[in-house]
């Protein structure tokens, strides 16, 4: 039993953070939203199932991974034979690489990319099909401050200008304060909504 | 050597076998299924013996057994380590069954050695046609699923996150694996067909780093192995399987040394 008393709603255009100690169920919840983890009871209603971009917490990209960054991002394109669609796909790829600051790195093998470059590539792939919702599971962990901010600025901009709903799992106090508008706090298998201005540093310090 | 009908047949058959095995092998390696392909060869042996016992062809028996068991394995979603233990338990049962079926059937023991160890003389032109059709089917499936299968095989978590139907892909892949085991065993033998299904793909991984190149190198090594093996078997009258496995093992260790050498330079 991971959750009890779970009752919340995420609305269009939200920028919401899921916070709470290790093992409190944040990843499990988003997996349930994605339909990748079964739930034993309760209702979960997901409106935009087809248009969620999801960047999972862990991913086995090893050093031998056989695609470069551009090819990797392309994996999320639907197969097509139409030359017209291909052309617009190429435009799409070009734009997304630019947006995520990967244009100069597009030929680098993903397996050899740095942690930050990899996260950008994951983000680019997830954003490719213009999702309505973006789920980031600790995408900023282990990044330096500058790259962290670059990534979050981009996401915030999409949230502002394109009404992208963002669900952001993090252990980062500053980022929660700076970027998110709502916070869901996981603790002892319960989940409570806290106002972002009431989010305190000790919420990130307690052990699981 | 091509003045002999049986050598021409064997050559055509092994060419198709090598192409499918090399192709499928790249994904066997990336999906960590070397162990499963080994087990499938053993299950295939039981299937071939079963085919002989009940009077259908060994190839048909193999296909039935490997298809059913690969799909059964694919639909188990248990954790992979637990899966390995139960797979090896199952595989010993199937070797036993294979031996039982053979001893119950009235076929001569040379038939049994052909199934187990492979042979270049046993293949008829009708069987060559069957092999070709099956091989073309495997290649066709790969063309259709190339992109999602690459996505899933090298980054399973990402493929699931992107909403790919990974269960379907897994079943499609296992079907091609079962067919490759069955057709490969006709020349290489069920005991060592997994050599062709794992070593060229593993060697390719040491040498190149893009999916098309992996496929090219793997298919190339697999073709070189069976062609050289056929030639040497023809000249020396030694078993073809010996030469094929010797070639692939040597290529594997050369590839490994190359990779280590490159790491140190
Ligand atoms: N497939 C599974 N089967 C059983 N238990 C699981 C499974 N996946 C996760 N758990 C357990 O569920 C709990 C919640 O895990 P989850 O990964 O959701 O935590 P989290 O909040 O994302 O933690 P972290 O901040 O460390 O990423 C943990 O106790 C974990 O061990
Ligand atoms: Mg987590």
């Amino acid at each position: 039993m991971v959750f009890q008393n779970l009752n919340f709603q995420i609305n269009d255009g939200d920028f919401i953070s899921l916070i709470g100690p290790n093992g409190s169920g944040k990843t499990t919840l988003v997996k349930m939203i994605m339909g990748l983890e079964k739930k034993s009871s309760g209702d979960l209603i997901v409106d935009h199932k087809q248009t969620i971009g999801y960047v999972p917490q862990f991913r086995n990209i090893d050093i031998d991974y056989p695609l470069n960054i551009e090819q990797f991002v392309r994996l999320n394109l639907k197969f097509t034979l139409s030359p017209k669609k291909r052309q617009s796909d190429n435009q799409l790829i070009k734009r997304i690489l630019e947006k995520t600051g990967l244009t100069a790195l597009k030929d680098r093998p993903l397996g050899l990319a740095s942690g930050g470059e990899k996260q950008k590539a994951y983000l680019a792939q997830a954003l490719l099909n213009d999702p309505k919702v973006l789920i980031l599971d600790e995408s900023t962990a282990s990044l330096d401050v500058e790259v962290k901010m670059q990534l979050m600025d981009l996401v915030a901009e999409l949230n502002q200008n394109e009404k992208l709903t963002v669900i952001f799992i993090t252990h980062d106090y500053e980022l929660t304060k700076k970027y998110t508008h709502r916070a869901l706090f996981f603790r002892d298998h319960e989940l409570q909504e806290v106002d972002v201005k009431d989010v305190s540093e000790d919420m990130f310090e307690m052990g699981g | 050597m091509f003045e002999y009908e049986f050598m021409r047949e064997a050559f055509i058959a092994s060419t198709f076998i090598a192409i499918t095995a090399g192709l499928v092998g790249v994904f066997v390696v990336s999906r960590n299924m070397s162990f499963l392909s080994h087990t499938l060869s053993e299950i295939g042996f039981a299937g071939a013996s079963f085919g002989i016992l009940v009077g259908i062809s060994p190839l048909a028996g193999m296909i039935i057994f490997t298809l059913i068991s690969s799909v059964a394995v694919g639909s188990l979603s248990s954790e992979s380590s637990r899966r390995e233990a139960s797979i090896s338990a199952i595989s010993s049962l199937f070797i036993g069954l294979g031996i039982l079926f053979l001893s119950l059937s009235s076929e001569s023991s040379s038939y049994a050695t052909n199934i187990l160890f492979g042979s270049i003389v046993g293949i008829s032109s009708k069987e060559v046609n069957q092999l070709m059709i099956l091989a073309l089917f495997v290649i066709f499936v790969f063309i259709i699923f190339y992109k999602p299968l690459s996505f899933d095989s090298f980054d399973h978590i990402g493929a699931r996150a992107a909403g790919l139907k990974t269960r379907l892909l897994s079943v499609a892949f296992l079907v091609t694996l079962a067919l490759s085991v069955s057709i490969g065993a006709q020349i290489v033998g069920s005991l060592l067909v997994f050599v062709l299904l794992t070593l060229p793909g593993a060697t390719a991984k040491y040498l190149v780093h893009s999916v098309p190149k992996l496929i090219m190198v793997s298919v190339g090594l697999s073709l070189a192995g069976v062609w050289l093996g056929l030639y040497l078997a023809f000249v020396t009258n030694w078993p073809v399987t010996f030469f094929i496995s010797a070639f692939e093992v040597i290529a594997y260790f050369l590839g490994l040394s190359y990779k280590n050498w490159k790491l140190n330079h």
Side-chain angles (χ1 to χ4, degrees), chain A residues 126-154:
Chain A
L127 287 175
L128 193 60
N129 290 320
D130 266 328
K132 289 228 169 21
V133 182
L134 177 68
I135 301 178
L136 299 173
D137 194 346
E138 299 195 28
S139 301
T140 54
S142 82
L143 303 185
D144 70 38
V145 179
E146 198 189 317
V147 178
K148 236 184 238 183
M149 296 294 176
Q150 275 173 17
L151 220 78
M152 292 308 285
D153 283 342
L154 170 64

Side-chain angles (χ1 to χ4, degrees), chain A residues 112-178:
Chain A
L112 302 179
S114 76
E117 292 159 0
K118 278 199 185 102
Q119 287 301 338
K120 286 181 184 171
Y122 301 161
L123 181 64
Q125 192 186 58
L127 287 175
L128 193 60
N129 290 320
D130 266 328
K132 289 228 169 21
V133 182
L134 177 68
I135 301 178
L136 299 173
D137 194 346
E138 299 195 28
S139 301
T140 54
S142 82
L143 303 185
D144 70 38
V145 179
E146 198 189 317
V147 178
K148 236 184 238 183
M149 296 294 176
Q150 275 173 17
L151 220 78
M152 292 308 285
D153 283 342
L154 170 64
V155 172
E157 187 198 305
L158 294 171
N159 170 256
Q160 280 260 306
N161 300 344
E162 296 173 29
K163 284 247 161 238
L164 176 71
T165 306
V166 183
I167 302 174
F168 177 48
I169 299 181
T170 186
H171 292 287
D172 191 313
Y173 170 72
E174 322 260 315
L175 293 182
T176 306
K177 283 286 205 196
K178 177 159 184 217

Side-chain angles (χ1 to χ4, degrees), chain A residues 36 54 56 58-60 64-66 72 74-77 125, chain B residues 147 151 154-155 157-158 160-162 205 209-211 214 259:
Chain A
L36 301 174
Y54 169 39
F58 302 109
R59 205 155 173 166
N60 308 318
D64 289 327
Y65 186 79
F72 172 77
R74 273 181 180 277
L75 285 173
N76 223 2
L77 286 174
Q125 192 186 58
Chain B
K147 198 166 131 182
F151 195 167
F154 294 95
D155 176 19
I157 298 172
R160 272 172 57 104
K205 206 179 155 186
H209 300 288
S210 84
V211 187
L214 284 170
K259 189 196 173 172

Side-chain angles (χ1 to χ4, degrees), chain B residues 2 4-18 20 57-60 63 119-137 179 182-187 230:
Chain B
F2 291 121
Y4 296 96
E5 170 83 22
F6 78 92
M7 277 311 283
R8 285 200 298 270
E9 308 284 16
F11 183 80
I12 298 170
S14 13
T15 299
F16 276 92
I17 287 170
T20 47
S57 74
L59 177 61
I63 291 176
S119 152
I120 56 172
V121 292
I123 210 153
S124 70
S125 64
K126 186 175 148 226
E127 284 166 333
V128 173
N129 286 337
Q130 291 171 347
L131 292 191
M132 269 168 54
I133 291 169
L134 291 170
L136 288 174
F137 175 75
L179 291 178
S182 305
I183 58 188
Q186 306 306 309
I187 292 236
L230 273 186

Side-chain angles (χ1 to χ4, degrees), chain B residues 152-185:
Chain B
D152 182 48
S153 301
F154 294 95
D155 176 19
H156 177 64
I157 298 172
R160 272 172 57 104
L164 263 64
K165 298 194 170 61
T166 53
R167 194 56 74 76
L168 171 75
L169 285 170
S170 170
V171 169
F173 177 73
L174 286 164
V175 166
T176 65
L177 179 58
L179 291 178
S180 310
V181 166
S182 305
I183 58 188

